[in-house]
Amino acid sequence: MSPRIFVDNDKRKMSKEALEALPEVESKETTRESVTEAEGKVGESVAAEQKAAPQVDPAEYERVKVERDSLLDRLARLQAEFDNARKREARERNEFRDYAVGAAVELFLPVLDNFQLALKSNGSADQLRAGVELIVKQMEEALRTLNVQPVEAVGAEFDPRVHEAIEMVEKPDVPDHQVFEEVRRGYRIKDRLLRPAMVRVASNPQQKEA
């Protein structure tokens, strides 16, 4: 084999290797171009967003900030005023309750004094009874001063709103459903019921038949 043939073979070999290398170089260049193109698109997108974003005037920003701080300060003041008003209202309510209780207790102190005097008395049973009756009248007067009135019971028609029946007794001589005995007195303060009257109620069979 002549040397020329070796040279031709080497040339053909080199040409083949060069051809095989060309696609790889081209691929790398294509990837680089793609990256460059993507970076360019990202840059264009960021620039577009920055261009589309509204530009804030520094003076307007400071004005809004001052207004916000003023509103927050006003809100804090209103909250503090509300808390103070709530505490003041609770304190006044407690003071009023204490005053009302004190006024009521003051009315009953003389009654308590008379009970203590009755316990120390050495009088007869009739004298003690007369003393207790006076104390009861004194207590009833104190209740009237507080606008506390007894619930009407004996002789009134049974009313479940103000009466509590503990027994119904057959009474031919008493109208049906009429209270004939008061076991425990009931009381109301104006239109408010403090406690119902505990009563016995008549049952008249003759009126039921009629």
Side-chain angles (χ1 to χ4, degrees), residues 134-149:
L134 291 175
I135 294 174
V136 170
K137 290 181 180 180
Q138 188 179 18
M139 183 172 290
E140 290 175 346
E141 182 62 29
L143 290 174
R144 279 193 294 270
T145 303
L146 296 173
N147 293 321
V148 178
Q149 301 293 333

Side-chain angles (χ1 to χ4, degrees), residues 51-86:
K51 185 177 180 180
Q55 299 297 323
V56 179
D57 185 7
E60 181 67 14
Y61 173 79
E62 289 297 328
R63 186 190 68 79
V64 173
K65 182 179 178 182
V66 171
E67 184 177 356
R68 181 205 62 182
D69 294 341
S70 177
L71 290 174
L72 290 175
D73 181 68
R74 183 180 179 185
L75 178 62
R77 291 177 181 272
L78 289 175
Q79 183 65 35
E81 291 177 1
F82 175 78
D83 291 339
N84 291 335
R86 181 174 53 81

Side-chain angles (χ1 to χ4, degrees), residues 23-194:
E24 183 178 357
V25 173
E26 184 179 359
S27 176
K28 290 182 179 179
E29 289 177 355
T30 304
T31 304
R32 189 178 299 109
E33 290 176 358
S34 301
V35 171
T36 304
E37 183 180 357
E39 290 177 349
K41 290 182 179 179
V42 171
E44 291 176 359
S45 177
V46 172
E49 291 179 359
Q50 291 177 350
K51 185 177 180 180
Q55 299 297 323
V56 179
D57 185 7
E60 181 67 14
Y61 173 79
E62 289 297 328
R63 186 190 68 79
V64 173
K65 182 179 178 182
V66 171
E67 184 177 356
R68 181 205 62 182
D69 294 341
S70 177
L71 290 174
L72 290 175
D73 181 68
R74 183 180 179 185
L75 178 62
R77 291 177 181 272
L78 289 175
Q79 183 65 35
E81 291 177 1
F82 175 78
D83 291 339
N84 291 335
R86 181 174 53 81
K87 293 177 181 178
R88 182 170 59 253
E89 189 272 337
R91 183 174 62 254
E92 291 176 353
R93 185 172 62 250
N94 291 334
E95 291 176 353
F96 177 79
R97 184 177 63 247
D98 294 341
Y99 173 79
V101 172
V105 171
E106 187 177 1
L107 291 173
F108 286 98
L109 289 178
V111 178
L112 180 60
D113 293 338
N114 288 333
F115 270 120
Q116 291 175 343
L117 290 174
L119 290 174
K120 296 177 181 179
S121 176
N122 295 323
S124 62
D126 292 339
Q127 291 174 335
L128 289 174
R129 181 179 179 84
V132 171
E133 289 176 351
L134 291 175
I135 294 174
V136 170
K137 290 181 180 180
Q138 188 179 18
M139 183 172 290
E140 290 175 346
E141 182 62 29
L143 290 174
R144 279 193 294 270
T145 303
L146 296 173
N147 293 321
V148 178
Q149 301 293 333
V151 173
E152 184 181 3
V154 177
E157 184 177 359
F158 175 76
D159 185 352
R161 296 174 298 179
V162 294
H163 298 145
E164 180 181 347
I166 62 171
E167 187 179 9
M168 181 167 278
V169 182
E170 186 173 328
K171 292 278 186 179
D173 56 338
V174 178
D176 192 46
H177 282 82
Q178 179 174 299
V179 177
F180 70 91
E181 183 181 355
E182 182 183 59
V183 179
R184 187 192 66 185
R185 183 167 295 184
Y187 291 95
R188 58 157 51 104
I189 178 169
K190 294 184 179 180
D191 295 332
R192 177 191 172 192
L193 182 68
L194 296 178

